[in-house]
Amino acid sequence: YVFHAWRYRYSHQYELLPVEKSEADRPIDVKISPVSKVTINVYDQESLSPLEASISASDKNQTAIAVDPQNLGAGQKQFQLPLGRDFTVKTEFKDFYPNMLNLGLSTIVLFDHFVRDIEMKPVLRKIEFYVTSNENDSAIVANIDMTEQQKGTHFTPEQVAGQAGLSSITVREGTKYGIDVRGPKGFAFKHTELDLDQDRDIKRVNIQLTKLKRKVAIKLNNINFEFNSADLIESSYEELN
């Protein structure tokens, strides 16, 4: 025999009952629940690092369902949903596209706990760099190195074919970069910064390199000395190099 216990908008429980005299009086513990726990692991689709995303839920009529997610660890949250309806769980995080998870809880539910992984795709932005000479605004082919300041990862924009001085790269929204520009011989090195969190509209960065001449001042940033000494501190050498 199969023992089946359920209630409307509750979980179901099945038990296989073999016909044996020794088990004729065997008790059956029935545990059905009106809710189900949901644990979700939210992470970056590219780096696989956990994300502390916000969580919301709605039913098929787009009626919002109050959830109170509890933090279980990095990128891991747990909450409860009532049985008897189908739900859409939505995750949101700054500079990432929202993602949806559909949970069908209107049919037979045998488990009181679901675990799901949700990937979130980062928003990307294409940035162009246009390098020119400060003397006559002519285009200059230059080498550009971008350093993501939070992780220290390096990126190199690609030269745009047929357009001297122009290069482009697609990077993650909301990140901050240090930009090092090295032109041909006879031009000064230049360092600048690009903050895609503060500037949400920038699509092109215009960079002018200074033609080296005698008695022309060259500005160097972040050059610092040890206290009461002529010795440079270690961080200064990055600019000098």
Side-chain angles (χ1 to χ4, degrees):
Y1 296 91
V2 175
F3 174 84
H4 180 198
W6 79 96
R7 184 180 177 182
Y8 179 61
R9 290 191 172 180
Y10 273 68
S11 59
H12 293 237
Q13 180 175 330
Y14 290 89
E15 293 284 344
L16 181 62
L17 304 178
V19 183
E20 297 178 7
K21 291 184 180 181
S22 60
E23 296 190 7
D25 297 326
R26 189 187 73 172
I28 299 176
D29 294 327
V30 178
K31 296 180 180 179
I32 58 177
S33 174
V35 298
S36 181
K37 290 181 181 179
V38 180
T39 299
I40 60 172
N41 302 297
V42 186
Y43 56 93
D44 185 324
Q45 185 185 66
E46 293 182 353
S47 68
L48 302 182
S49 56
L51 299 174
E52 300 303 323
S54 62
I55 308 295
S56 61
S58 59
D59 61 18
K60 65 179 182 180
N61 297 320
Q62 298 185 349
T63 302
I65 306 299
V67 292
D68 183 21
Q70 305 297 312
N71 290 319
L72 301 184
Q76 188 177 62
K77 297 181 184 295
Q78 186 178 94
F79 52 93
Q80 291 185 337
L81 288 175
L83 299 182
R85 285 182 284 174
D86 296 329
F87 297 97
T88 298
V89 177
K90 183 179 182 180
T91 57
E92 296 178 282
F93 192 70
K94 184 180 180 182
D95 298 322
F96 283 77
Y97 293 106
N99 202 355
M100 307 288 189
L101 169 67
N102 294 318
L103 285 174
L105 303 181
S106 63
T107 57
I108 295 177
V109 177
L110 300 178
F111 307 101
D112 60 359
H113 189 193
F114 294 90
V115 179
R116 296 290 187 271
D117 293 332
I118 298 182
E119 298 179 346
M120 298 195 71
K121 183 179 179 180
V123 178
L124 304 178
R125 193 196 315 185
K126 182 180 178 180
I127 300 293
E128 293 183 337
F129 297 92
Y130 187 57
V131 184
T132 58
S133 168
N134 71 321
E135 281 193 326
N136 52 19
D137 291 331
S138 60
I140 298 174
V141 176
N143 295 318
I144 301 176
D145 179 69
M146 301 177 63
T147 305
E148 186 180 348
Q149 295 189 353
Q150 183 177 5
K151 299 180 180 179
T153 308
H154 290 266
F155 302 91
T156 302
E158 294 185 0
Q159 298 285 336
V160 178
Q163 300 189 53
L166 186 66
S167 57
S168 68
I169 190 171
T170 300
V171 291
R172 295 166 71 110
E173 189 66 86
T175 47
K176 187 174 182 179
Y177 298 90
I179 312 295
D180 294 331
V181 185
R182 291 176 173 83
K185 185 176 180 180
F187 285 87
F189 161 87
K190 187 166 187 177
H191 175 83
T192 187
E193 292 186 348
L194 178 63
D195 191 340
L196 299 184
D197 186 35
Q198 295 294 324
D199 194 335
R200 293 278 166 172
D201 299 318
I202 190 169
K203 297 282 193 305
R204 174 182 281 206
V205 179
N206 295 316
I207 300 172
Q208 279 200 332
L209 296 184
T210 301
K211 182 74 173 178
L212 292 176
K213 296 180 180 180
R214 289 185 178 184
K215 298 182 180 181
V216 172
I218 300 175
K219 182 180 178 181
L220 297 176
N221 300 312
N222 304 316
I223 304 299
N224 299 292
F225 296 85
E226 298 286 356
F227 177 73
N228 198 26
S229 171
D231 296 330
L232 291 169
I233 64 174
E234 185 176 352
S235 61
S236 301
Y237 290 99
E238 181 177 354
E239 179 79 4
L240 291 172
N241 291 335

